């Protein structure tokens, strides 16, 4: 993560990280034994063409269907190894998701089968409407509201397909690349046949000739044992005591030509090819959580997190697959035609546990995935404000000074961050008393203005007997063990000699939570802290400076005897999960925590935010970070952002302004910088740059109601907050690959960040016959049903942001120093009329801190603008109670039976009003503007283009001043 120059004592042990990305520190597929074997298998299949047949088949006589019909099991055999037994289970969930599991039965060892247990939020409910029909060649089930979904499992060879309306959507093992390497005894891994004598040799008086028979499995597995038992990379040797156990599986989408997902990679949103003819990349996409220093801006190299979820899209439907595997995985992507996609998944260990998400819409897929792994947690409100960080604020007085400078410049900020140098010798929880002699008082000074602190806590524990955290963990026996299974694994990280807590061990859970207790107790805890301190979990891939690929050896041992190779990609999620719980449980009742994590897995969205790691202050990284944040949203991790300004480097003022323009339109908004960079807090900039950034910060705070409302939607539905074109316009092929503009939730805001130097104009794609208004100037642009590219001004002081016609955006316009100070501020409603002269929007509010919203203490309003009559020029703007109308859809995980509009939160903000309404695109100047049943209001009208016209230009503007309506109440404003 940071410059390694601080660790002078380790320089002989550590890889020099002072320069750019060190490709040689990380494996390519050709340097990974199981990946080589998987790709070689694929190459043999392609060479054999139609003669290639998968050796795996189902014994039809073994099929057993459960009493509820939702599950069937069967025995699977491989013709390569007739004595090895496999078991298949297929189950259909209530929402139509199909789960396919396959495992080795009665083998020498047990394969890791707990990945789904960590990723899933709960055991999925099974369908009650399924009936399996078993035939001579296959077993199948038809289901869905229109009986349009079908799952077909063919016996010989084993093949699983998901169809909709008779059209294949997803196919498993269609290319015959399924291979589950069974456990075996070292020395006889391939059971080579005995030598054979050549007949007739003796009778001819010749010496007897003995030759080896051909290996009957070579056609499938190859004729060379390739790193089955021991593998060396650079100076490290992986002992691989269990031998080969990899899993190969082809997953194809015969009718979907575009795929997305499988973060985290620095690449385009629509995944470029890695195989087939003329691939973009020559290596597969790798999923292996890694501490990659100064990563490339275009690469399939694995980064900090791994979510094995892939979406496949066409103009007809969207489907997805979720592969619940926690080990290192490589994924090849190719296209045999523009209309299809072939993928090959190669994992080092684990069972086959694949979920087929049938869609058919993107919204359906997100809902199906959220039911599996949970949705993005509802964040604490202040965490949507601006976060100011660097490595490092060097003292408590430095923090106070930074806060003072923000206030002097009237720049809003909610959070100040402390990196590793706050701690004594990098012993987390323990303050460096020379530089931070008064941490509680410092935090209280920050909190006095409604702000918070976020402090880093990394997973490595300094091996020192005077460090209570390490001593307690060691005494409890909850540290990760070396390959021997005895003692404690020792590696190197920021403190020097370190060990790592094994969070797979249940005994570690309550202990970790106890470390964050701020009250004095019998055991040592972080008493020099307050509830205004929240946590940053970094280095949790885990990063090990002297380990293979800068991480933990794969043959280390975790709780239950599992090797690190089995659980590597889950490791970081457990750390942030337990930290999230620990911070929540500091208070009684619990309050919402904020935890930022660098490493993540499927399900991490339930535990807070993530960021794109150690980016560079370059235009290329700015551009790709937008795509990466979009990709993370597709995989459930909506609370995402990148380091504004770039972690490395000293961006010029123009670039820094553009970074802030990117940052304010990301869900997570933090500026961060390396210790070797120049200080670049926004108040240090010269004019006009300082003023530009100040305006951007204020714009972020103005839009906080919109952001919080978007988070409610994603927490309840799983829909990503940032939505690329293919989600908004699924039938528009021209938008499938667009990843440089996006919509924010259902707000109607369309954003096109500028990520290049010296830009004065930008191209924006409008996919529909609708009017779009410039957010700032109200200039009306017209789209087209065939899709249309418009050119918009985007000089440095201009941000290409538009309101889609038909949208209502709630804002709070009064400048404040931090978001908690805005809690009772009035609202402005921006009404952008559609071509048809209508608009709709939502606003969700709760106390932003507690979990009271789960008991119905919130307000959820719908604003509707509609014509008074079909041909009328009059308009009615109304506020309606969505909480009462849809109590079972209001908040994640809770189906409220009823909703009380007079709940405690609603009472607390009963006097909060709408202070202004701005209506864009009216067809004519009104003659009257009244609250229904009330007197004439004060308003102003500026003539301009109407929403229904075909021409472009500045739109008409009606500004209603202080209509004196309450945000929590029903009301209507009538415009005649």
């Amino acid at each position: 993560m940071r410059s390694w120059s601080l660790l002078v004592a380790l320089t002989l042990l550590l890889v020099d990280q002072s320069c750019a990305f060190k490709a040689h520190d990380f494996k390519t597929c050709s340097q990974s034994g199981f990946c080589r074997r998987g790709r070689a298998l694929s190459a043999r299949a392609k060479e054999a063409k139609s003669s290639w047949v998968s050796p795996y088949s189902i014994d039809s006589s073994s099929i057993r269907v459960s009493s509820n019909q939702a599950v069937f099991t069967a025995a699977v055999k491989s013709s390569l190894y007739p004595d090895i037994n496999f078991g298949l289970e297929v189950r259909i969930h209530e929402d139509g998701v199909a789960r396919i599991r396959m495992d080795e039965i009665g083998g020498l060892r047990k394969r890791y089968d707990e990945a789904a247990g960590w990723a899933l939020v709960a055991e999925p409910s099974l369908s009650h409407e399924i009936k399996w029909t078993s035939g001579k060649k296959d077993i199948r089930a038809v289901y869905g509201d229109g009986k349009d979904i079908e799952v077909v499992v063919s016996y010989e060879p084993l093949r699983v397909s998901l169809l909709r309306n008779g059209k294949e959507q997803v196919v498993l093992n269609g290319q015959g690349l399924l291979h589950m390497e069974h456990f075996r005894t070292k020395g006889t891994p391939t059971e080579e046949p005995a030598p054979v004598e050549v007949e007739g040799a003796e009778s001819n008086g010749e010496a007897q000739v003995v030759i080896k028979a051909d290996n009957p499995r070579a056609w499938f597995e190859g004729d060379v044992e390739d790193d089955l038992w021991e593998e060396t990379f650079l100076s490290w040797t992986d002992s691989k005591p269990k031998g080969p156990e990899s899993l190969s599986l082809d997953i194809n989408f015969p009718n979907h030509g575009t795929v997305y997902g499988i973060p985290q990679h620095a690449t385009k949103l629509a995944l470029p090819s890695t195989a087939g003819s003329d691939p973009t990349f020559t290596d597969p996409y790798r999923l292996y959580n890694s501490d990659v220093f100064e990563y490339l801006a275009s690469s399939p190299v694995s980064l900090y997190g791994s979510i094995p979820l892939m979406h496949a899209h066409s103009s007809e439907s969207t489907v997805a697959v979720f592969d619940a595997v926690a080990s290192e995985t490589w994924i090849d992507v190719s296209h045999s035609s523009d209309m299809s996609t072939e993928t090959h998944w190669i994992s080092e260990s684990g069972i086959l546990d694949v979920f087929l998400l049938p869609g058919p819409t993107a919204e359906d897929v997100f809902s199906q995935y959220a039911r599996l792994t949970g949705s993005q947690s509802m964040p604490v409100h202040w965490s949507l404000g601006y976060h100011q960080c660097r490595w490092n604020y060097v003292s408590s007085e430095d923090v106070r000074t930074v806060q003072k400078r923000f206030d002097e410049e009237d720049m809003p900020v909610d959070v100040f961050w402390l990196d590793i140098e706050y701690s004594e010798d990098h012993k987390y929880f323990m303050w460096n008393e020379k530089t931070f002699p008064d941490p509680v008082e410092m935090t209280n000074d920050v909190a006095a203005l409604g702000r918070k602190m976020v402090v880093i806590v990394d997973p490595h524990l300094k091996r020192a007997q005077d460090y209570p955290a390490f001593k307690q963990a060691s005494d409890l026996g909850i540290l990760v063990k070396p390959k021997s299974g005895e003692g404690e694994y020792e590696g190197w990280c920021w403190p020097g000699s370190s060990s790592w807590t094994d969070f797979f061990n249940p005994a570690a859970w309550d202990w970790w939570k106890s470390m964050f207790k701020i009250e004095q107790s019998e055991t040592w805890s972080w008493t020099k802290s307050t509830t205004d301190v929240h946590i940053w979990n970094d280095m949790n891939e885990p990063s090990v400076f002297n380990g293979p690929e800068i991480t933990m050896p794969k043959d280390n041992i975790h709780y239950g005897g599992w090797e690190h190779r089995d659980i590597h990609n889950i490791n970081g999620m457990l750390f942030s999960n337990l930290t999230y719980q620990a911070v929540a449980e500091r208070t009684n009742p619990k309050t919402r925590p904020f935890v930022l994590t660098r490493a993540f897995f499927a399900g991490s969205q339930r535990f807070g935010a993530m960021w794109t790691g150690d980016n560079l202050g370059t235009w290329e990284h700015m551009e790709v970070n937008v795509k990466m944040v979009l990709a993370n949203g597709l995989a459930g991790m909506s609370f995402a952002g990148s380091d504004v300004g770039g972690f490395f480097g000293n961006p010029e003022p123009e670039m820094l302004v553009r970074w802030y323009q990117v940052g304010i339109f990301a869900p997570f908004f933090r500026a961060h910088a390396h210790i070797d960079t120049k200080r670049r807090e926004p108040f240090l900039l010269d004019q006009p740059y300082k003023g530009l950034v100040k305006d951007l910060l204020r714009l972020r705070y103005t839009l906080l109601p919109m952001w919080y409302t978007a988070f409610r939607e994603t927490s309840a539905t799983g829909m990503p907050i940032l939505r690329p074109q293919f989600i908004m316009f699924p039938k528009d092929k021209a938008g499938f690959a667009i990843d440089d503009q996006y919509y924010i939730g259902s707000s109607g805001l369309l954003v096109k960040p500028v990520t290049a130097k010296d830009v004065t104009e930008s191209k924006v794609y409008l996919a529909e016959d609708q009017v779009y208004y410039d957010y700032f100037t109200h200039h009306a642009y017209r789209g087209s049903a065939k899709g249309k590219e418009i050119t918009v001004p985007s000089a440095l002081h201009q941000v290409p942001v538009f309101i889609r016609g038909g949208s209502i955006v709630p804002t709070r316009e009064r400048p404040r120093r931090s978001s908690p100070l805005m809690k009772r501020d009035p609202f402005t409603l921006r009404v952008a009329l559609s071509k048809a002269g209508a608009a709709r929007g939502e606003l969700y509010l709760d106390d932003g801190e507690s979990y009271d919203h789960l008991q119905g203490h919130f307000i959820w309003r719908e604003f509707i603008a509609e014509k008074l009559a079909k041909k009328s020029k009059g308009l009615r703007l109304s506020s309606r109670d969505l909480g009462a109308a849809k109590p079972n859809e209001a908040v994640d995980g809770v189906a409220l039976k009823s909703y009380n509009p007079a709940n405690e939160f609603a009472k607390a903000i009963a006097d909060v009003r709408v202070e202004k309404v701005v209506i864009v695109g009216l067809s004519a100047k009104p003659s009257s503007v009244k609250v229904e049943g009330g007197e004439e209001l004060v308003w102003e009208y500026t003539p301009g283009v109407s929403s229904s016209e075909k021409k472009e230009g500045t739109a008409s503007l009606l500004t209603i001043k202080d209509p004196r309506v309450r945000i929590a109440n029903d009301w209507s404003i009538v415009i005649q």
Side-chain angles (χ1 to χ4, degrees), residues 855-920:
Q855 281 72 52
H857 297 284
F858 58 83
I859 67 167
W860 181 23
R861 307 299 302 182
E862 178 182 37
F863 307 111
I864 296 178
E866 54 193 349
K867 289 185 176 182
L868 292 175
K870 191 172 184 180
K871 294 185 178 182
S872 169
K873 292 184 178 180
L875 192 74
R876 175 182 281 107
L877 174 64
S878 303
S879 174
R880 304 174 186 176
D881 193 340
L882 275 179
K886 302 178 179 181
N888 61 328
E889 299 176 24
V891 292
D892 171 43
V894 178
L896 299 171
K897 294 182 179 179
S898 62
Y899 169 78
N900 179 11
N903 62 75
E904 292 303 314
F905 174 73
K907 289 179 182 178
I909 65 163
D911 60 344
V912 174
R913 73 189 197 280
V914 176
E915 70 172 347
K916 185 166 65 173
V917 176
V918 178
I919 301 178
V920 189

Side-chain angles (χ1 to χ4, degrees), residues 372-384:
L372 289 175
T373 67
S375 59
Q376 183 72 59
S377 57
M378 195 66 194
V380 59
H381 186 277
W382 54 259
S383 65
L384 304 185

Side-chain angles (χ1 to χ4, degrees), residues 837-854:
R840 183 192 176 279
E842 294 182 14
L843 173 67
Y844 174 84
L845 297 170
D846 58 32
D847 67 20
E849 296 176 331
S850 75
Y851 289 96
D852 289 351
H853 63 295
L854 301 179

Side-chain angles (χ1 to χ4, degrees), residues 55 111 226 277 300 405 519 547 634 670 676 703 748 806 817 825 835 948:
R111 301 180 76 95
D226 186 0
S277 60
R405 290 298 309 278
E519 302 88 4
L634 299 186
R670 180 185 76 157
D676 291 337
L703 290 168
R817 289 185 288 187
D825 281 356
K835 275 182 61 181
S948 58

Side-chain angles (χ1 to χ4, degrees), residues 448-459:
L449 295 172
R451 296 176 177 133
K452 306 291 180 182
M453 298 289 302
V454 169
V455 177
I456 199 167
V457 175
D458 286 346

Side-chain angles (χ1 to χ4, degrees), residues 197-356:
E197 294 183 3
V198 176
E199 292 184 11
E202 286 186 347
S203 60
N204 293 332
E206 300 173 0
Q208 187 176 21
V209 178
V210 179
I211 64 171
K212 283 189 176 182
D214 290 338
N215 179 357
R217 304 179 191 90
W219 69 273
F220 191 80
E221 293 186 321
D223 53 9
V224 176
E225 292 187 4
D226 186 0
D227 281 347
L228 299 186
W229 292 94
E230 191 175 86
E231 188 168 343
T232 298
F233 175 68
L234 301 179
S235 62
W236 295 278
T237 297
D238 177 4
S239 63
K240 299 172 71 168
K242 295 183 293 182
E245 53 175 320
S246 75
L247 173 65
S248 163
L249 176 67
D250 58 281
I251 304 177
N252 296 333
F253 307 97
N255 293 289
H256 296 81
T258 309
V259 289
Y260 311 93
I262 57 170
Q264 187 182 40
H265 301 97
T267 188
K268 297 177 181 178
L269 184 67
L271 293 170
S273 60
T274 64
S277 60
D278 194 26
T280 301
F281 300 123
T282 56
D283 242 27
Y285 294 101
R286 191 186 190 196
L287 295 178
Y288 189 64
N289 294 359
S290 303
D291 180 1
V292 182
F293 185 90
E294 296 189 343
Y295 55 85
L296 299 174
S298 177
S299 171
V301 168
S302 57
L303 296 177
Y304 311 96
S306 301
I307 300 181
L309 172 74
M310 179 178 284
H311 298 252
H313 183 71
S314 73
S315 58
E316 295 183 359
S317 67
T318 307
V319 295
V321 293
F322 169 50
D323 182 14
V325 63
S327 64
E328 178 187 354
T329 298
W330 301 77
I331 305 165
D332 264 322
V333 175
S334 62
H335 303 277
S336 57
S337 75
D338 292 341
M339 305 301 293
S340 64
T341 305
E342 298 78 43
T343 69
H344 183 198
W345 302 57
I346 312 164
S347 300
E348 185 169 20
S349 68
I351 67 168
L352 188 157
D353 195 356
V354 174
F355 298 78
L356 309 183

Side-chain angles (χ1 to χ4, degrees), residues 13 15 24-25 27 230-239 489 544-551 553:
L13 297 171
V15 178
H24 64 264
D25 286 344
K27 290 182 180 179
E230 191 175 86
E231 188 168 343
T232 298
F233 175 68
L234 301 179
S235 62
W236 295 278
T237 297
D238 177 4
S239 63
Y489 169 69
V544 182
F545 291 165
N546 65 333
E549 301 193 89
I550 317 178
T551 192

